[in-house]
Each structure stands twice: as structure tokens, then as C-alpha cells.
Amino acid sequence: MEKKVMQTYLYDFYGELLTEHQKNVYEDFVLNDLSLGEIALERGISRQGVHDLVKRCDRLLMGYEEKLHLLDRFRKIKSKIGQINQLTLAEGSAEQEAASRRIRQLSQEILEEL
């Protein structure tokens, strides 16, 4: 997964666990796509300070994911829902019967993961 996309997902899941200052700087860098220099100028801190803070936030957010696995579970469930959507397009009675069995199986797996 691309780094910026991963950072965005991690922030969506765990961003509320950061301090207000960390959230503001991380949002500027990841979500608002501001450069380290722009953030430093706006916040009155050094470019290196912004860089260090972003790296620290990355480590914190990844640490939360390693412990809680919310993003991993989300991605698995999203994949299974995509499969279910594809299976609903099955045509012909034999294909529909097989699709129905697979849909029931995927649905059960999703329920077990929740």
C-alpha cells in the first residue's frame, strides 16, 4: 500500500489517540499535503522538528495498528464485501447456487471477525 494512503488510513483509525499538536501537524503533512517547510513556518518550529514529529506520529500509529489490528480487519472485511458484490452478478442457476453458497460463507466469515 502506498505510504500516504497507509498514513491516511492509520490516521483515520487512530488519529484521535494523538495529542492536539500532533494531530494538527500530522493532518497538515498527510491530509493537507503541506511540505515540512510550510508547516514549520506556519507553526513556528524547525523543519527538522516537523520531520521528527511526523516520524514519531507514524511510529505511534503503526504501534496502535500492531496492537489493535483495526486497519487489517477493515481491509479484510472490505475485500470480502467486494467478493460478495461480484458474486451477486452470477448468472445461470448453477452459477447462482455456487455464488449463494460462497456469499453465505463470506458473510459468516465477516460475522466471525466482528
Side-chain angles (χ1 to χ4, degrees), residues 56-72:
R56 187 175 17 214
C57 289
D58 281 337
R59 283 192 307 272
L60 283 169
L61 297 174
M62 281 301 296
Y64 294 136
E65 175 58 19
E66 288 170 7
K67 290 178 179 106
L68 301 172
H69 307 286
L70 296 178
L71 178 56
D72 183 50

Side-chain angles (χ1 to χ4, degrees), residues 57-108:
C57 289
D58 281 337
R59 283 192 307 272
L60 283 169
L61 297 174
M62 281 301 296
Y64 294 136
E65 175 58 19
E66 288 170 7
K67 290 178 179 106
L68 301 172
H69 307 286
L70 296 178
L71 178 56
D72 183 50
R73 289 174 61 201
F74 169 78
R75 290 171 51 194
K76 286 178 183 175
I77 290 170
K78 185 177 178 184
S79 172
K80 289 176 182 174
I81 291 171
Q83 291 177 48
I84 288 171
N85 285 335
Q86 283 299 113
L87 290 168
T88 62
L89 303 175
E91 295 180 15
S93 67
E95 282 186 37
Q96 287 175 344
E97 188 175 316
S100 292
R101 281 194 304 274
R102 182 69 179 137
I103 288 170
R104 283 191 298 277
Q105 178 187 6
L106 289 168
S107 298
Q108 186 60 41

Side-chain angles (χ1 to χ4, degrees), residues 15-62:
E16 288 302 314
L17 299 172
L18 300 175
T19 67
E20 202 60 37
H21 178 66
Q22 288 171 328
K23 284 195 292 190
N24 291 333
V25 171
Y26 203 76
E27 283 178 8
D28 282 347
F29 183 73
V30 174
L31 303 179
N32 300 331
D33 205 28
L34 297 179
S35 70
L36 297 175
E38 290 171 321
I39 298 167
L41 186 62
E42 182 180 304
R43 303 266 172 208
I45 56 178
S46 70
R47 184 185 178 286
Q48 184 63 45
V50 174
H51 177 267
D52 292 346
L53 184 60
V54 169
K55 289 297 177 194
R56 187 175 17 214
C57 289
D58 281 337
R59 283 192 307 272
L60 283 169
L61 297 174
M62 281 301 296

